Amino acid sequence: MKRVHSQRTQPLRLLVVLWLAPYAATFTFQHATFFASEAGAAASNAKKGAGVGWQRVAYPTDSPLSAYLNSGGYWAPDQVEAAAARWGSNAVEIPMPLFWDLMAEHAVAPMFVFQMVCVGLWCLDEYWYYSIFTLVMLVFFEATVPVTNRNYRNEAMPPF
């Protein structure tokens, strides 16, 4: 299976939020959110006079455990909007593999390769039409496995 974000360029979507001054322009790259700031310009060795650079959003991870256990969360809608704009949504997107990717994985499985070699040897016999029928049925059966796996993954993923 291919990795979605390893060593490949991805299109960036720049999100400009006008009502949140410290995090006015943000983008997400490889599941990390960056925002425009003057401190980011100094850290990223930007040209003198540019004044703005990109800095990673700092998540509150250094507090003691009691601070997280006693946290009441956000109750006001403006606090929820500000937190969502700053940190993004708390959602994990799992990409659904394509049918052909799953089929390619099943086609190189040792049992399927063995069955294909056997079908090729059976074609040398005088019952070659039986071998062709077996070949079609094997490919059809192997094609149903990725479809079933995709359907199962759709049902198993809870809609958060």
Side-chain angles (χ1 to χ4, degrees):
M1 182 182 246
K2 297 177 186 176
R3 291 185 183 176
V4 175
H5 63 280
S6 64
Q7 303 296 327
R8 293 190 306 169
T9 58
Q10 295 176 346
L12 294 178
R13 288 182 288 178
L14 186 63
L15 175 67
V16 178
V17 183
L18 298 177
W19 61 87
L20 295 172
Y23 303 100
T26 65
F27 70 91
T28 302
F29 178 69
Q30 295 184 351
H31 302 289
T33 304
F34 297 86
F35 66 95
S37 73
E38 293 179 9
S44 65
N45 296 330
K47 292 181 180 180
K48 300 275 186 197
V52 175
W54 298 102
Q55 184 177 2
R56 217 174 193 175
V57 173
Y59 294 97
T61 58
D62 55 350
S63 300
L65 181 61
S66 61
Y68 299 116
L69 293 176
N70 296 330
S71 173
Y74 299 115
W75 291 96
D78 56 339
Q79 289 178 333
V80 173
E81 288 179 18
R86 180 175 184 181
W87 291 300
S89 65
N90 189 17
V92 177
E93 295 179 13
I94 301 173
M96 183 67 65
L98 299 175
F99 169 78
W100 293 110
D101 293 338
L102 292 173
M103 187 62 190
E105 287 180 19
H106 284 275
V108 296
M111 185 65 185
F112 185 70
V113 171
F114 173 74
Q115 288 173 332
M116 291 296 107
V117 170
C118 289
V119 166
L121 292 175
W122 290 337
C123 283
L124 299 175
D125 199 10
E126 58 187 53
Y127 295 111
W128 60 269
Y129 47 88
Y130 175 75
S131 302
I132 298 299
F133 176 74
T134 304
L135 172 74
V136 170
M137 295 311 296
L138 284 172
V139 170
F140 179 74
F141 173 72
E142 284 297 321
T144 60
V145 174
V147 171
T148 304
N149 287 345
R150 284 178 52 98
N151 291 341
Y152 177 71
R153 288 182 186 187
N154 282 338
E155 292 173 2
M157 286 187 207
F160 289 115

